[in-house]
Amino acid sequence: MKNLNLVPACVPWSVVMISFLIAVPPEATANPKIEITWQDIVKLVDDHPQIGAGRHEIAAAHAAVDAERAAPNPSVEARAAYGKPIDNSASGIEWGLALSIPLGWIAQRNSRMDAAHAKVDVADAQTEALRRGVLLQLRVLFWTLVYSQERVGALGDLDGQMATLSATVRRRVEEGEVRPVEATRVEVEAEKVAGELEVAELAMIASRAALATWLGSDDGERLVAVADLTQLPGPITMELARKRAAKHPTLDAARARVNALEANVTVERRARVPSFAVEVFTDHGLDRRAYGAGLAIELPLWNWNTGNIQRSQQMLAAQKNKLESERIDLEIRAIEAQSQCQAGTMLATRYNKRILPRAESAARVIERTYQLGETTLLEVIDARRTLLETRGQFLSTLAQAQIDCSRLRAIAGEESQ
């Protein structure tokens, strides 16, 4: 993955992934797996189609600023007529030209520019929010794959241990130390573990395919996520989470919309100023030549733009309410995410330091005493089953804690770490 930072940003997402797959070092070709870390994904995320769409929207918003900056074009009027004097003297063609330069737009230009700049801020903030959302979705898929891999590994280890236990039971049956039914019991338990291993492998294949699809690759079978599931992120306090939530790009976008609507209110108010245009003209008739200038002014007799002003004011008030609602919603999400992250981390730590070591120790002791003939096979199977469930719960708790903490860090703006 070291070569990913050499790929130009303009290269399409799918081409980036194909280039990465082709650019595997020669010494790695013997290994059928492609290892990918979270930092590798972060390097690729800016080439994702959704982020590309956001960049195009930003460019469109900048183009809108240029459009508002431009002055409207003048208009030219040409007219011609066949003229015949009343005294029946010589007739001929009469013609005239008029150049009209509109100036009414000057009153609204600054406020329109302010609205256009605010829309650029909206596009910037929306793209950043979109990037965080894409990173979070990829993070969930990444940790789901890591969990699936760990689950398959744990079940594979247990499957091997069950094979060893089955051999021990068969030997004791052959030596007449235990009844033959015990061999059947351990075989049934071994089949259960083998079945769970097959299901876990199918889930891992699906997780690989999902992550590969998001990354734009069709080589998901070779994808391996490299991460330590037990390495939980450091804590973020409730106060810091709420403070970071107040700076979320979703709120920045909402604030920018408020600014745009405030500028739009100003535009509508200034639209009350009568528009006018300066005109210069020349007329060529049969008996005269005329040159002059004129001023055209709109007469606001029937409409003072009251409806548009009220509409823009109400839209502004609605957006301010939406901003407050989004602020409250984000703060609540930050509180919930911080609580879930902290609770998941605490539970995973308890499993790691207290619950799982005891379950492993109990399983080892009971299996050893069975080999010495001091306990029954049912107790061994029960201890093994308890260990399997405990390991599964531990891995599930770790994965959920990673995902919950990822949601918290997405709100706090630290998801790329």
Side-chain angles (χ1 to χ4, degrees):
M1 298 298 294
K2 299 299 184 183
N3 61 332
L4 290 180
N5 56 350
L6 302 179
V7 179
C10 59
V11 176
W13 176 261
S14 58
V15 175
V16 171
M17 283 306 301
I18 292 173
S19 300
F20 156 64
L21 296 176
I22 294 176
V24 176
E27 60 272 16
T29 56
N31 185 358
K33 302 300 182 183
I34 297 176
E35 295 183 347
I36 186 169
T37 66
W38 175 244
Q39 291 305 320
D40 295 330
I41 294 177
V42 172
K43 292 176 183 178
L44 290 170
V45 72
D46 286 333
D47 293 312
H48 194 277
Q50 289 193 15
I51 308 301
R55 288 197 296 267
H56 287 302
E57 290 178 356
I58 293 174
H62 280 290
V65 173
D66 294 336
E68 294 296 345
R69 183 181 290 115
N73 293 320
S75 60
V76 175
E77 178 185 356
R79 54 186 179 272
Y82 180 79
K84 186 175 182 180
I86 297 176
D87 59 2
N88 293 321
S89 60
S91 61
I93 300 298
E94 296 181 341
W95 60 274
L97 290 174
L99 175 66
S100 178
I101 302 175
L103 299 176
W105 58 274
I106 296 176
Q108 302 177 18
R109 182 175 185 272
N110 289 338
S111 52
R112 287 185 180 276
M113 290 280 292
D114 292 340
H117 282 296
K119 290 177 181 178
V120 172
D121 295 336
V122 171
D124 283 332
Q126 284 181 331
T127 300
E128 176 58 26
L130 184 62
R131 187 178 188 276
R132 290 194 189 186
V134 170
L135 278 171
L136 178 58
Q137 291 176 339
L138 288 170
R139 189 79 161 181
V140 171
L141 291 173
F142 179 79
W143 282 119
T144 301
L145 177 54
V146 174
Y147 162 73
S148 299
Q149 293 170 174
E150 294 289 341
R151 176 73 172 162
V152 169
L155 286 169
D157 291 340
L158 186 59
D159 187 59
Q161 294 169 8
M162 290 302 300
T164 301
L165 180 60
S166 297
T168 300
V169 173
R170 285 194 299 270
R171 179 183 55 79
R172 295 189 65 185
V173 169
E174 292 171 357
E175 294 176 359
E177 297 178 4
V178 297
R179 295 175 298 173
V181 70
E182 293 197 359
T184 304
R185 287 174 177 171
V186 77
E187 288 173 0
V188 170
E189 191 64 23
E191 286 297 325
K192 290 181 180 179
V193 174
E196 293 185 24
L197 177 59
E198 290 177 356
V199 172
E201 288 174 342
L202 290 174
M204 181 180 66
I205 292 172
S207 296
R208 283 177 174 170
L211 181 58
T213 300
W214 262 93
L215 295 177
S217 169
D218 57 357
D219 203 5
E221 294 181 0
R222 301 178 60 196
L223 201 63
V224 176
V226 180
D228 184 1
L229 193 62
T230 63
Q231 190 66 36
L232 295 171
I236 295 179
T237 63
M238 184 74 73
E239 180 181 359
L240 181 59
R242 298 174 72 170
K243 185 177 179 181
R244 293 282 181 83
K247 299 179 180 180
H248 196 276
T250 298
L251 294 183
D252 291 338
R255 296 186 187 101
R257 291 191 187 95
V258 169
N259 294 337
L261 289 172
E262 286 177 342
N264 191 58
V265 170
T266 304
V267 169
E268 298 297 345
R269 284 175 175 168
R270 291 184 178 180
R272 282 182 165 180
V273 177
S275 62
F276 62 97
V278 175
E279 183 181 272
V280 292
F281 63 90
T282 178
D283 283 325
H284 292 250
L286 297 178
D287 57 352
R288 70 186 184 95
R289 302 288 186 269
Y291 304 92
L295 181 66
I297 301 177
E298 178 189 17
L299 295 178
L301 297 178
W302 321 120
N303 180 15
W304 282 86
N305 207 37
T306 304
N308 286 335
I309 293 174
Q310 292 179 347
R311 178 179 61 84
S312 60
Q313 288 175 337
Q314 294 303 319
M315 290 177 64
L316 173 60
Q319 183 57 44
K320 288 181 177 180
N321 288 334
K322 290 179 181 179
L323 171 59
E324 180 63 14
S325 176
E326 289 180 358
R327 185 196 66 78
I328 294 173
D329 180 65
L330 265 171
E331 187 171 350
I332 292 174
R333 283 167 52 194
I335 293 171
E336 293 175 346
Q338 194 278 339
S339 175
Q340 292 170 352
C341 175
Q342 184 177 6
T345 301
M346 292 174 59
L347 182 58
T349 301
R350 182 178 292 272
Y351 264 98
N352 189 33
K353 293 184 176 180
R354 297 185 181 183
I355 301 175
L356 184 59
R358 293 178 183 178
E360 291 174 341
S361 176
R364 286 195 300 269
V365 170
I366 292 176
E367 186 169 345
R368 180 57 181 167
T369 56
Y370 176 76
Q371 292 173 352
L372 298 175
E374 297 177 0
T375 189
T376 65
L377 178 62
L378 289 178
E379 291 176 307
V380 176
I381 291 176
D382 182 66
R384 282 289 170 190
R385 176 55 57 179
T386 300
L387 178 59
L388 174 62
E389 293 176 353
T390 303
R391 282 180 177 172
Q393 291 168 356
F394 174 53
L395 292 176
S396 177
T397 300
L398 282 174
Q400 189 61 49
Q402 291 284 6
I403 291 172
D404 289 338
C405 291
S406 294
R407 291 194 176 98
L408 173 60
R409 293 185 178 276
I411 295 174
E414 300 179 2
E415 185 55 21
S416 60
Q417 298 179 1

